[in-house]
Amino acid sequence: MEVSYHDIVLVGGGCAGLRAAIAAVEAWPESTVACVSKVYPMRSHTVSAEGGAAAVTRDDDSLDLHAYDTLKGSDFLADQDAVETFVEEAAGELVQLEHWGCPWSREPDGRVAVRWFGGMSVQRTWFATDKTGFHMLHALFQTSLKHDRIVRFDEFFVTKLLVDGGQVRGVAALDIRTGEMHAVLGRAVIICTGGAGRVFPFTTNASIKSGDGMAIAYRAGIPLKDMEFVQYHPTGLPGTGILITEASRGEGGYLLNSEGERFLQRYVPNKMELGPRDMISRAIVQEMQAGRAFKGAYGEYVHLDLRHLGEKAIDKKLPFVRELVRNYVGIDPVHEPIPVRPVVHYMMGGIDTDVMGATELPGLFAAGEVAAVSINGANRLGSNSLTECLVFGRRAGLAAVEFSRGTDDGKEGPLLEQAKAEGARIEALRGKSGSEKISQLRREMNLAMERGCGVFREESEMQATVQTLAQLRGRFADLGLADSSKIFNTELVAALELGHLIDVAEVVANTALARKESRGAHTRTDYPNRLDAEYLKHSRVRFAPEGPRLDYTPVTITRWQPEERKY
Ligand SMILES: Cc1cc2nc3c(=O)[nH]c(=O)nc-3n(C[C@H](O)[C@H](O)[C@H](O)COP(=O)(O)OP(=O)(O)OC[C@H]3O[C@@H](n4cnc5c(N)ncnc54)[C@H](O)[C@@H]3O)c2cc1C
């Protein structure tokens, strides 16, 4: 087993991870930061973000308004201290990215352009055409390359936190290329592993988004927060789940039912296509239930119509949408409406952290989609996530520096023992005989989650999902793997990911079952109202051998009292 030593170990090379790495080495130039990523950093899911990143920069806008929009979007479950920090630091981060080379789109007068996004009261979303994530990640990645103290471990799959003396001191990682275990030791660890959309069958999320960081933290006894809140984006392509960015509505696109009607007038009359995602996704499903949707080879759908925008505007502001629709649907959105349906997109919940990214476990920090700090509460507003990765990625990097400087290296012996034991566990899985198949268990998990924890939820279906997941956990022990090779054993990686997915699915389903109200993206047909007296609180789940253990913590309220959420 190989061992390496660093000041800070960072897991994840996406937007949050790279921002944290740069913050750490800039604050402490002599430090070494290990950046461990299961894919080459530019392949992180951030690269596929399209629409943009929100921050207040215009005269018609204010920090209070951005905070209020975010809180209202969250159905008042977001922590208000975190939201205030977020809006204050947002613009500085986007300007910093410009200085690192991110080519933000411009107005004719030279100012950075802003566009509409759902649930935002004014135009405040910065963008780089509709390839924002690609350009942001590029700017971060090339900046990270300037720092030779950021040491990369590409295609290393982290499976476990190494903890000794009540403090995290590194991670165990499988080198996918060689099949060997590696202990990456450091005095602080930052988890930036992104979301877990792959728990569901139909998602915009890359197949690498398997909730690894959430599951690894959960298994180390750290609570996951607000995991019942899963965001459906209203406009995914049927079949593939490829996202058609909200910017297409921000730039003026319409949603139409099979009768050619802009049906949102019945659901979000004042915001129409610029309503928040939870409400528009529910509206589309209700149109389907009322028989006003189209039927296609991949189920029902509605239309997203961009034709009235014209070819010039589409090519200038939404070139990637045109490219995607041409390549994956075989039609041109300049001339035909796009078939769309709601699709799982984002996890509002995650590892419970404070505003510096600190978790309950000393030395462990988390930021980005994997964390719940929480600014998203029960429903995230589009374009807040990329900015969240920057603001809280930087903060986690700085906090990890401070922690790392103030502590010792600890004892190596127990850490290497743990890493060896982890290596043995993985070795036992490689080529293991058993009667269950990864693909079959994953499929059953996906379908159970869609049935019980979809756009609309109901007690008996959720109970059935919880039971199915418990059975799947049992069957997972009898998994059979055909590939016993060491080099690039992708079957082994898929098996490890499946274990993480089942952990996350169990947490989502159990918290959803326990929240007997409707709030944000969590909509129960049997409890249709928001019940603040009982449920204005964060759920938190810890791992226990007998099943997820649930408790609740209060929501931090500073200046905004919860009110009815109407658009
Ligand atoms: C299609 C799409 C479009 C989006 N568009 C927008 C948008 O326009 N605006 C917006 O604000 N948000 C958008 N979002 C959401 C936003 O892009 C993500 O929430 C954000 O990019 C997540 O960044 P991250 O750094 O937290 O994680 P990611 O970018 O997902 O990176 C995770 C990193 O962790 C690593 N990793 C994971 N597991 C392991 C492991 N076990 N071992 C080692 N490494 C591991 C991966 O290799 C990767 O480097 C979009 C999301 C999608 C899916």
Side-chain angles (χ1 to χ4, degrees), residues 72-77 228-229 278-279 282 377-379 454-459 462 511-537 563-565:
K72 185 173 171 187
S74 82
D75 222 344
F76 295 92
L77 194 71
E228 60 271 47
F229 300 102
D278 53 344
M279 292 186 175
R282 283 197 289 276
N379 175 64
V455 172
F456 288 100
R457 301 168 171 183
E458 180 270 327
E459 185 89 8
M462 274 186 286
T511 45
L513 185 59
R515 187 175 282 274
K516 296 189 192 315
E517 66 156 355
S518 290
R519 183 186 296 272
H522 174 67
T523 312
R524 293 195 50 158
T525 50
D526 43 358
Y527 297 95
N529 298 319
R530 193 178 89 191
L531 304 174
D532 282 348
E534 217 178 325
Y535 287 107
L536 182 58
K537 56 189 182 184
E563 58 186 52
E564 192 190 348
R565 188 162 164 252

Side-chain angles (χ1 to χ4, degrees), residues 115-338:
R115 66 168 34 137
W116 286 107
F117 244 71
M120 303 282 190
S121 299
V122 296
Q123 298 187 59
R124 64 164 72 96
T125 297
W126 294 36
F127 55 96
T129 67
D130 54 358
K131 295 185 179 170
T132 309
F134 170 84
H135 289 298
M136 288 177 68
L137 195 59
H138 238 291
L140 288 165
F141 186 50
Q142 69 191 10
T143 304
S144 77
L145 294 176
K146 287 198 301 198
H147 297 281
D148 55 12
R149 287 184 169 267
I150 299 176
V151 184
R152 292 226 317 281
F153 292 84
D154 294 343
E155 297 177 329
F156 278 66
F157 188 102
V158 173
T159 60
K160 193 179 167 53
L161 296 174
L162 304 177
V163 181
D164 189 45
Q167 192 171 323
V168 70
R169 295 193 177 271
V171 299
L174 174 75
D175 179 349
I176 301 172
R177 201 171 339 190
T178 62
E180 298 298 334
M181 222 33 208
H182 199 115
V184 190
L185 304 185
R187 281 179 251 142
V189 173
I190 314 175
I191 301 185
C192 296
T193 50
R198 286 279 156 175
V199 160
F200 287 82
F202 186 63
T203 174
T204 62
N205 283 193
S207 55
I208 53 174
K209 294 192 76 170
S210 47
D212 300 343
M214 294 175 186
I216 290 164
Y218 176 62
R219 287 283 170 155
I222 295 138
L224 302 182
K225 182 162 79 184
D226 293 339
M227 291 293 286
E228 60 271 47
F229 300 102
V230 177
Q231 178 159 80
Y232 273 79
H233 194 294
T235 60
L237 294 180
T240 57
I242 290 173
L243 178 77
I244 300 303
T245 172
E246 188 163 302
S248 55
R249 281 172 286 128
E251 296 297 340
Y254 296 151
L255 282 173
L256 304 173
N257 63 17
S258 60
E259 293 168 8
E261 177 203 19
R262 284 179 72 190
F263 56 90
L264 291 173
Q265 61 193 333
R266 276 195 296 283
Y267 305 91
V268 272
N270 297 321
K271 280 271 183 193
M272 295 296 287
E273 279 80 3
L274 294 175
R277 292 176 176 174
D278 53 344
M279 292 186 175
I280 297 185
S281 293
R282 283 197 289 276
I284 295 175
V285 173
Q286 283 172 278
E287 289 299 295
M288 290 172 174
Q289 288 165 348
R292 290 190 294 266
F294 301 93
K295 291 189 178 29
Y298 303 104
E300 293 183 279
Y301 61 88
V302 295
H303 274 157
L304 172 62
D305 195 352
L306 305 183
R307 288 174 297 181
H308 54 287
L309 304 181
E311 184 164 9
K312 216 169 129 201
I314 291 174
D315 281 346
K316 180 150 183 260
K317 297 278 186 65
L318 304 165
F320 193 41
V321 167
R322 191 174 187 191
E323 187 184 321
L324 286 171
V325 174
R326 276 176 151 169
N327 288 343
Y328 290 94
V329 192
I331 62 171
D332 185 345
V334 169
H335 304 297
E336 282 180 79
I338 309 167

